[in-house]
Amino acid sequence: MTALDWAVLAITLAGIVAYGSWRSRAVHSTEAFLRAGKDIRWWTIGLSVIATQASAITFLSVPGQAYVDGLGFVQFYFGLPVAMVILSAVVVPIYHRLRVYTAYEYLERRFDRKTRQLAALLFLVSRGLASGLAIYAPALVLSAVLGWPAGVTNLLLGATTIVYTVAGGSRAVSRTQSAQMVVVFVGMVAALAIAVQDLPRGVSMGQGVALAGALGKLEGVDLSLRFDTRYTLWSGLLGGLFVQLAYFGTDQSQVQRYLAGGPLSQSRMGLLMNGLVKVPMQFFILFIGVMVFVFYQLTPPPLFFNRVALERLRERDGAEVARLERESAAAFAAKRAAIDRLLSPSTPESAAAARAEVRAGEARMVALRKETGALVARALPGVDPKDSDLIFLRFVLDHFPRGLVGLLVAVILSAAMSANSAALSSLGATTVVDFYGPGHPGATDAETLRVARLATAAWGLLAVAFAGFASLLDNLIQAVNVIGSFFYGPMLGVFLVGFFLKRVRGTAAFAATVAGEAAVVGLAAFGNVGYLWYNVIGCAAVVALAPLLEVGLSRARRAPGGA
């Protein structure tokens, strides 16, 4: 990066942190630390909800996901608007009426403490793991820009987030996220503009989109009923609906955002704003990835998008890298000639032949990238052999003008600060409210605030530790959603039992939740089902088992000698 890029990056991040610190300077009580304040308006809640989801993983991994697989990932979010309507109508009024700090307080009032703490524990595990991924993603940025080891960048970013969150709590998170999202939106619009502007002379955006379609990158809806396919219309509408209901209804990182303060109407409008904005926003980010793919169909792509790893590999085995680069250049030249024929006026027969040549050429280049990744794995132990999460970043670093590189890096780091601070704040809140508070009813406000800050810091350190394992995962955006799908189904199930099955009591709800979680783990270990269905199956297991277990327990209690 140039001096101008560093200046843009430093000014943007410093301005955001200064703004958040100023707006949250009066955090001296547990109430202020755990809630953002009653003056939070619906647009701030909406932006905070969106920002909590839109981590650095979104802006690094989603374009790479689109580059590799096209627009299909957008189906994951098809159930979100419906989920926002259901939650606004049913769940949010219950939380507001009970004036809870965490969603899990409701479960103790409805069932018992063990059910409350089981659900809280599931949240802590799932969100703690996901926080590690959210720290690792921006660490990729600094590693690619500065060439620093990933471990150093994990520690640096994790420590910054911990200090920032421990100081200001939920108020700092909500206030700062609005400014962060403004930076994010501006940066992503600039990214699409640059991707289109840098297409070769004579190739219009329409032709680029047509090329993406010819290569299967615009297939955004899959109508098949296959359960082993990750993203289909049905898994998105049904499985995605369950994911979003669980995430926004039971995951404290989101519940804390819309229960931050203010009347019920503000929370509802903030959630509905998310329902309207999220799907178009995700489609837009995926479309950026598709246009980056188009750009690299017309301009020679790197052999491997991890520049640091490629240069280290060149030092180790220069002859093999040179061979792979020669083969990649030859494959690109042949494919580029076929693309020219495809984009030129032609007969249907010649267009079909050119399309087949383009697809064959792209398959050859993908194979060479994979061969390079395999060579990285053999020659450079500990270096990630997958480069899809670095595709968008490499495009930014290689092709953006001075100043805009700094802005896009600021976008990624802003998103990281936003999502990480929200997650750590919710982890600290859940620890102190659902575990420390019930065991220490006589604790003073100062003692509770101190424990909340210590718990937030401790979860931050655990997230940094898990970030060290993130390079072993395939694609970060998918990894985050897979982790959530292990836990969200049973969590949603126990809340649905509480809301709608009034005769079920605590022991039956607790046992059904344990059984539902075991079913999900067993399915993941031995089944062949797309992970979105884990949410449906886990939830259905809890809802189906809870009343049956309650009937059995009731009979046991009525039997002679029963409790």
Side-chain angles (χ1 to χ4, degrees):
M1 294 205 311
T2 65
L4 178 59
D5 291 313
W6 283 111
V8 170
L9 173 62
I11 291 171
T12 302
L13 295 185
I16 289 172
V17 173
Y19 173 77
S21 300
W22 177 70
R23 294 301 300 269
S24 58
R25 59 193 182 279
V27 176
H28 302 301
S29 66
T30 303
E31 170 76 17
F33 189 80
L34 299 181
R35 294 186 188 272
K38 294 183 178 180
D39 57 338
I40 298 295
R41 306 299 293 173
W42 66 267
W43 56 83
T44 300
I45 292 173
L47 287 173
S48 184
V49 168
I50 294 169
T52 299
Q53 303 167 75
S55 68
I57 295 173
T58 300
F59 303 104
L60 280 173
S61 191
V62 171
Q65 173 81 12
Y67 187 102
V68 175
D69 293 325
L71 296 177
F73 180 66
V74 75
Q75 296 170 111
F76 174 81
Y77 295 94
F78 281 178
L80 187 143
V82 180
M84 297 302 97
V85 173
I86 294 173
L87 291 173
S88 297
V90 178
V91 177
V92 179
I94 295 174
Y95 290 158
H96 267 267
R97 185 173 67 250
L98 297 176
R99 296 191 58 78
V100 295
Y101 281 97
T102 74
Y104 318 110
E105 289 180 85
Y106 162 78
L107 294 178
E108 181 168 356
R109 301 188 192 186
R110 171 64 179 82
F111 295 121
D112 52 29
R113 183 169 297 175
K114 68 178 181 293
T115 306
R116 168 190 181 178
Q117 292 186 332
L118 173 62
L121 180 63
L122 293 177
F123 161 73
L124 291 174
V125 174
S126 63
R127 186 50 49 194
L129 294 176
S131 296
L133 300 183
I135 289 174
Y136 174 72
L140 288 175
V141 176
L142 292 184
S143 295
V145 172
L146 303 176
W148 293 356
V152 173
T153 52
N154 284 338
L155 185 60
L156 176 63
L157 286 165
T160 303
T161 304
I162 290 169
V163 171
Y164 165 71
T165 309
V166 168
S170 183
R171 187 174 182 84
V173 172
S174 292
R175 293 295 190 183
T176 307
Q177 282 178 324
S178 298
Q180 289 164 330
M181 286 310 296
V182 170
V183 173
V184 165
F185 284 133
V186 170
M188 298 314 289
V189 169
L192 179 61
I194 296 297
V196 172
Q197 177 184 314
D198 281 3
L199 293 177
R201 185 183 300 274
V203 178
S204 68
M205 181 176 176
Q207 289 177 309
V209 171
L211 176 59
L215 290 169
K217 300 301 180 180
L218 299 183
E219 296 172 2
V221 177
D222 182 351
L223 298 176
S224 72
L225 294 173
R226 294 181 56 183
F227 285 89
D228 58 347
T229 300
R230 282 186 168 181
Y231 305 115
T232 68
L233 174 65
W234 316 112
S235 70
L237 286 175
L238 186 57
L241 173 63
F242 277 73
V243 171
Q244 308 304 341
L245 286 173
Y247 180 45
F248 291 96
T250 72
D251 188 305
Q252 182 59 22
S253 67
Q254 283 294 350
V255 173
Q256 191 168 345
R257 304 278 64 79
Y258 60 76
L259 293 185
L264 171 61
S265 61
Q266 300 298 305
S267 294
R268 280 174 160 169
M269 291 176 67
L271 276 182
L272 293 175
M273 172 186 170
N274 178 61
L276 290 173
V277 172
K278 181 61 178 179
V279 176
M281 172 182 164
Q282 205 68 26
F283 178 86
F284 179 72
I285 297 171
L286 285 165
F287 186 70
I288 292 173
V290 169
M291 293 311 296
V292 171
F293 171 82
V294 169
F295 174 84
Y296 281 124
Q297 298 306 298
L298 302 167
T299 302
L303 175 65
F304 197 64
F305 284 95
N306 187 334
R307 175 187 291 164
V308 175
L310 183 61
E311 292 309 312
R312 287 181 58 189
L313 184 63
R314 196 186 307 278
E315 293 172 1
R316 290 285 189 91
D317 196 345
E320 185 66 10
V321 171
R323 178 189 68 80
L324 290 168
E325 288 180 330
R326 286 194 303 271
E327 293 187 20
S328 180
F332 175 81
K335 183 180 69 171
R336 185 69 171 84
I339 289 173
D340 289 339
R341 292 194 298 274
L342 179 62
L343 296 181
S344 301
S346 57
T347 64
E349 293 77 13
S350 61
R355 185 181 302 109
E357 288 184 49
V358 172
R359 290 188 172 187
E362 176 61 15
R364 175 57 180 155
M365 297 197 70
V366 170
L368 289 169
R369 268 183 60 210
K370 290 182 178 179
E371 187 177 348
T372 306
L375 184 60
V376 168
R378 293 193 302 269
L380 304 173
V383 176
D384 188 359
K386 302 176 295 294
D387 65 345
S388 61
D389 289 320
L390 287 170
I391 291 172
F392 180 61
L393 179 60
R394 180 67 181 269
F395 172 73
V396 169
L397 295 176
D398 287 350
H399 299 286
F400 270 42
R402 290 182 298 176
L404 279 182
V405 173
L407 177 63
L408 262 294
V409 174
V411 164
I412 294 168
L413 296 184
S414 293
M417 292 164 56
S418 174
N420 290 340
S421 60
L424 296 185
S425 175
S426 64
L427 289 165
T430 300
T431 302
V432 73
V433 172
D434 294 301
F435 291 94
Y436 176 79
H440 300 81
T444 65
D445 187 74
E447 291 170 340
T448 304
L449 177 60
R450 182 169 62 252
V451 172
R453 283 184 160 140
L454 289 173
T456 301
W459 279 109
L461 293 175
L462 287 173
V464 171
F466 181 67
F469 297 95
S471 64
L472 302 177
L473 303 173
D474 184 9
N475 177 273
L476 293 179
I477 189 66
Q478 291 194 106
V480 168
N481 292 320
V482 170
I483 288 173
S485 294
F486 269 96
F487 302 97
Y488 283 157
M491 287 173 65
L492 176 60
V494 71
F495 276 86
L496 292 180
V497 170
F499 294 148
F500 300 112
L501 302 181
K502 299 302 182 183
R503 294 185 178 182
V504 176
R505 291 189 275 183
T507 300
F510 178 88
T513 305
V514 173
E517 187 60 44
V520 171
V521 172
L523 188 66
F526 304 108
N528 185 29
V529 176
Y531 72 83
L532 282 178
W533 295 107
Y534 298 171
N535 302 277
V536 180
I537 294 168
C539 179
V542 176
V543 173
L545 285 173
L548 296 177
L549 291 172
E550 183 59 41
V551 170
L553 290 170
S554 297
R555 290 176 178 173
R557 286 191 289 266
R558 290 195 300 268

